[in-house]
């Protein structure tokens, strides 16, 4: 029986890492449900314990931010933002910088996966209209969404988890990691400049043919006001989950846009996966499989190393859930290192983050191939350099400012 329990958990984490189980048509959400269901069926934990393992703050915060992002997406905000950024430049290098920092800034305030979903088709259309090789710009988008999302609690799902578990305020988190995100975005620009000669030109290209999209001004105005109020609440120290829930509730009060349209933009699979992951992680703790992790993560460098390895084996969200049990709640530096490490590790391979896969899928559907090898050539050096920057900043710069 104990062997069967270990096998179930092992297959569950394998499914998280691959995004599927070989021979079966299951995504990560299905893997999470099945894994947590078998954990209960095998007596690793009972239903009451499984239910109590699900963290409501994380689920509510994530749901609220998804609704806010969906409303902004439905209004045409992300398309408008990209058009605004590229209006300042018509050179290959300038567009690459605009895509890098545009995706990074948007990801800092909104979920990185949402940014990738909405900007990937636009980036592809933009580069094609200018007869540019789209691959460097798609890499700039994928990398920029990952790097920019390091900056805030709301940047990506793993940061939301860290914020929920640690209690670190939105402002404190941003003060510590926003400089890391900015430096890493600069590093990405420099790396793409070296890697792809065709993006180095600062010569102005012909007038850009604007990508056509629909802008719904009433929803845009309402979404921007609500989002601005939400960010003010975050910066003022208001509870993150409650603030996001209230903002989402206001956006769902609508006369002109059907609420169905906004709710369709919510990634329900991700929410289900999160709930299942909480249960699976609790089952892993019940079996004592995490007991030895304390010794493996007893120094900041060890914690970073384990975070990077696990993030590329079982994905970044499960990694945070597994490692949160060995971090003291008051150890702010360790929490920030976990957030930065699990996010930056996403650039290592094409499979490292959902944002990478989204960009590759959009490219593939349009006849462009963003291969594993091409991404590894870009992501491997970038990941190790940015991880070094994050470690140095948090352990030497940030720690030295703590009284």
């Amino acid at each position: 029986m104990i062997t069967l329990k270990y096998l179930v958990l092992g297959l569950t984490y394998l499914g998280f890492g691959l995004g599927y189980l070989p021979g079966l048509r299951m995504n990560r959400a299905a893997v999470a449900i099945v894994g947590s269901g078998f954990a209960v069926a095998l007596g690793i934990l009972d239903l009451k314990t499984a239910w109590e393992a699900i963290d409501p703050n994380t689920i509510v915060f994530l749901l609220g931010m998804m609704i806010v992002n969906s409303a902004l997406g439905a209004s045409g905000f992300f398309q408008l933002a990209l058009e605004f950024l590229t209006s300042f430049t018509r050179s290959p290098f300038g567009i690459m910088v605009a895509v890098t920092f545009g995706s990074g800034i948007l990801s800092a305030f909104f979920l990185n996966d949402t940014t990738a979903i909405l900007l990937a088709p636009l980036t592809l259309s933009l580069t094609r209209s200018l007869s540019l090789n789209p691959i460097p710009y798609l890499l700039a988008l994928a990398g920029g969404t990952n790097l920019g999302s390091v900056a805030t609690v709301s940047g990506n799902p793993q940061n939301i988890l860290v914020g929920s578990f640690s209690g670190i305020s939105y402002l404190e988190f941003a003060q510590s990691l926003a400089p890391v995100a900015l430096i890493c975005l600069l590093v990405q620009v420099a790396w793409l400049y070296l890697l792809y000669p065709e993006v180095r030109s600062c010569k102005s290209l012909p007038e850009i043919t604007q990508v056509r999209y629909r802008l719904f001004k009433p929803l845009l105005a309402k979404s921007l006001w609500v989002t601005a109020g939400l960010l003010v609440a975050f910066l003022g120290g208001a509870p993150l989950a409650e603030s996001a829930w209230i903002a989402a509730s206001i956006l769902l009060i609508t006369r002109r846009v059907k609420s169905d349209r906004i709710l369709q933009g919510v990634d329900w699979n991700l929410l289900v996966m999160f709930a299942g992951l909480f249960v699976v992680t609790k089952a892993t703790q019940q079996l004592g499989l995490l007991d030895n992790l304390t010794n493996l993560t007893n120094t900041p460098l060890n914690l970073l190393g384990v975070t990077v390895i696990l993030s590329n084996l079982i994905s970044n969200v499960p990694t945070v859930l597994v490692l949160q049990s060995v971090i003291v709640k008051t150890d702010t530096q360790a929490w920030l290192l976990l957030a930065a490490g699990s996010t930056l590790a996403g650039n290592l391979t094409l499979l490292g983050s959902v944002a990478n896969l989204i960009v590759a899928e959009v490219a593939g559907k349009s006849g462009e191939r963003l291969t594993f090898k091409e991404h590894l050539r870009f992501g491997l050096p970038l990941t190790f350099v940015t991880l070094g920057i994050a470690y140095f900043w948090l352990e030497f710069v940030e720690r030295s400012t703590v009284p």
Side-chain angles (χ1 to χ4, degrees), residues 47-59:
L47 184 59
K48 184 174 183 295
T49 304
W51 181 256
E52 291 174 347
I54 301 172
D55 182 59
N57 285 325
T58 301
I59 301 297

Side-chain angles (χ1 to χ4, degrees), residues 170 225-238 243:
Y170 194 94
W225 277 110
V226 171
T227 302
L230 179 61
L231 292 176
V232 169
F234 285 164
L235 295 174
S243 300

Side-chain angles (χ1 to χ4, degrees), residues 56-116:
N57 285 325
T58 301
I59 301 297
V60 170
F61 185 24
L62 188 57
L63 174 61
M65 290 305 302
M66 284 180 177
I67 292 174
V68 171
N69 291 348
S70 180
L72 286 167
S75 71
F77 167 75
F78 290 94
Q79 295 91 329
L80 182 65
L82 183 61
E83 180 183 302
F84 173 76
L85 289 166
T86 54
S87 67
F88 293 101
T89 178
R90 294 197 202 124
S91 70
F93 180 71
I95 292 173
M96 189 267 288
V97 172
V99 171
T100 295
F101 280 92
S103 61
I105 292 169
L106 289 172
S107 294
F109 296 104
F110 312 104
L111 291 172
N112 59 339
D113 297 346
T114 301
T115 303

Side-chain angles (χ1 to χ4, degrees), residues 28 113 116 146 267 315-316 350-359:
R28 286 189 172 96
D113 297 346
N146 291 325
D267 190 345
S315 190
N316 42 29
L350 185 62
L351 306 176
S353 78
V354 175
N356 297 347
L357 294 173
I358 290 169
V359 172

Side-chain angles (χ1 to χ4, degrees), residues 79-313:
Q79 295 91 329
L80 182 65
L82 183 61
E83 180 183 302
F84 173 76
L85 289 166
T86 54
S87 67
F88 293 101
T89 178
R90 294 197 202 124
S91 70
F93 180 71
I95 292 173
M96 189 267 288
V97 172
V99 171
T100 295
F101 280 92
S103 61
I105 292 169
L106 289 172
S107 294
F109 296 104
F110 312 104
L111 291 172
N112 59 339
D113 297 346
T114 301
T115 303
I117 289 171
L118 295 170
L119 293 191
L122 294 170
T123 302
L124 192 57
S125 298
L126 177 66
T127 52
R128 282 183 167 176
S129 69
L130 294 171
S131 300
L132 296 172
N133 175 14
I135 297 302
Y137 299 93
L138 291 173
L139 288 172
L141 173 62
T145 56
N146 291 325
L147 297 177
S149 71
V150 170
T152 67
V153 170
S154 59
N156 56 55
Q158 58 269 23
N159 284 6
I160 289 175
L161 281 173
V162 169
S164 296
F165 291 136
S166 66
I168 300 173
S169 71
Y170 194 94
L171 183 59
E172 183 182 3
F173 193 103
Q175 286 175 333
S176 298
L177 288 181
V180 173
L182 178 60
I183 295 169
C184 291
L185 288 169
L186 289 170
V187 169
Q188 174 175 292
V189 168
W191 179 229
L192 285 170
Y193 182 89
L194 293 173
L195 203 57
Y196 293 96
E198 61 264 43
V199 307
R200 298 174 189 173
S201 174
C202 293
K203 184 178 179 181
S204 183
L205 294 167
E207 187 71 33
I208 296 174
T209 302
Q210 297 295 342
V211 179
R212 298 182 64 182
Y213 61 91
R214 183 181 179 186
L215 192 65
F216 189 31
K217 293 183 179 179
L219 181 59
L220 176 63
K222 181 180 179 181
S223 301
L224 288 176
W225 277 110
V226 171
T227 302
L230 179 61
L231 292 176
V232 169
F234 285 164
L235 295 174
L240 300 179
E242 289 88 333
S243 300
W245 197 359
I246 292 170
S249 300
I250 294 172
L251 287 173
L252 288 173
I253 302 173
T254 172
R255 291 187 301 111
R256 299 183 181 183
V257 179
K258 291 183 178 180
S259 57
D260 288 356
R261 183 178 177 184
I262 297 176
L263 291 174
Q264 283 173 359
V266 173
D267 190 345
W268 300 103
N269 279 333
L270 183 60
L271 290 173
V272 170
M273 188 193 79
F274 260 71
L277 269 172
F278 280 117
V279 178
V280 170
T281 305
K282 183 66 175 179
T284 307
Q285 291 175 325
Q286 293 284 87
L287 290 179
L289 297 178
L290 304 182
D291 295 346
N292 293 328
L293 276 178
T294 304
N295 296 329
L296 295 175
T297 58
N298 54 0
T299 68
L301 191 58
N302 286 349
L303 173 61
L304 183 62
V306 170
T307 299
V308 172
I309 293 170
L310 285 180
S311 293
N312 280 277
L313 288 178

